[in-house]
Amino acid sequence: MDDNKHFWQKTAKIYNLFTRGSRAGNETYAEIEAGIQQQLTKKMQVLELAAGPGMLSSKIAESCGSLIVTDFSEEMLALAEKRVTQPDVTFAAADATNLQYDDKAFDAVVIANALHIMPQPERAAAEIKRVLRDGGLLIAPTFTRKSMKPKFTERLMESAGFRTYSRWTHDAFLQWLAAQGFTITYSRVIAGPTFPVSFAVCRK
């Protein structure tokens, strides 16, 4: 599958600089963290998919009972293991489109800023539905765009090897989630430094 894994392996050590390396970027991610924490409780078993170097994982771990942090890039996962030190956190290499977890194993799944860079995000959505318990939460903050027109910044990023497979606006992303069979319970747009973030919470 053309999943661009080589790019993510190669850029793992500098990924944080491009996301939280500026004041604006850090403020955006702080808003994402706060939004995620508001949805979780200490009774929840949570799965984090496409966690990257674990930029959100510590805050997720503070707010739930147990957390499994996963990414398909071993380089990203190694950085997450160094960053996240809370108890009741485990780490595993995992492909979000082909999970090895039992049906209805988790109370919540968090997948942040990843669905748009997956060649087949509907496969990830199907796997998330499978591993969520009935009534479980999908928390999916995702970079979107204000219009469908390509941006110069995006073209520049793609010239460096970054690939965007789904170019959603906020409304288009919510429609996509609904089409995957999720019920949207909350959504808002967070103003990011380069692209807006559509913060969406859904129930299975």
Side-chain angles (χ1 to χ4, degrees), residues 123-185:
R123 290 180 58 185
E127 281 292 86
I128 290 167
K129 282 188 69 178
R130 183 183 66 78
V131 302
L132 271 176
R133 293 175 181 143
D134 293 339
L137 290 181
L138 164 61
I139 305 172
T142 302
F143 285 119
T144 52
R145 48 185 29 220
K146 294 180 180 179
S147 74
M148 298 306 290
K149 295 180 180 179
K151 294 183 65 173
F152 173 76
T153 303
E154 188 174 22
R155 289 174 176 171
L156 188 63
M157 291 166 64
E158 292 193 344
S159 70
F162 178 91
R163 294 179 189 169
T164 301
Y165 294 91
S166 298
R167 293 171 170 84
W168 290 305
T169 62
H170 176 69
D171 288 343
F173 178 55
L174 298 185
Q175 290 168 8
W176 181 85
L177 288 169
Q180 309 312 306
F182 291 101
T183 300
I184 298 163
T185 59

Side-chain angles (χ1 to χ4, degrees), residues 32-120:
I32 294 172
E33 288 172 339
I36 293 171
Q37 288 186 302
Q38 289 172 5
Q39 300 294 327
L40 301 178
T41 72
K42 283 293 188 178
K43 294 182 179 180
M44 289 182 170
Q45 293 178 293
V46 178
L47 173 66
E48 185 184 11
L49 299 175
M55 294 185 302
L56 300 172
S57 306
S58 290
K59 292 297 183 181
I60 296 171
E62 289 175 4
S63 305
C64 65
S66 65
L67 174 65
I68 300 177
V69 177
T70 72
D71 199 274
F72 81 150
S73 163
E74 295 83 2
E75 295 291 334
M76 289 283 194
L77 197 64
L79 293 172
E81 289 193 60
K82 293 178 180 178
R83 182 191 295 266
V84 184
T85 59
Q86 284 93 338
D88 298 317
V89 178
T90 55
F91 301 85
D95 177 356
T97 68
N98 185 25
L99 298 173
Q100 304 303 308
Y101 301 107
D102 293 338
D103 295 356
K104 302 181 179 181
F106 300 98
D107 300 296
V109 173
V110 179
I111 180 166
N113 299 327
L115 287 168
H116 66 300
I117 56 173
M118 293 181 175
Q120 296 176 298

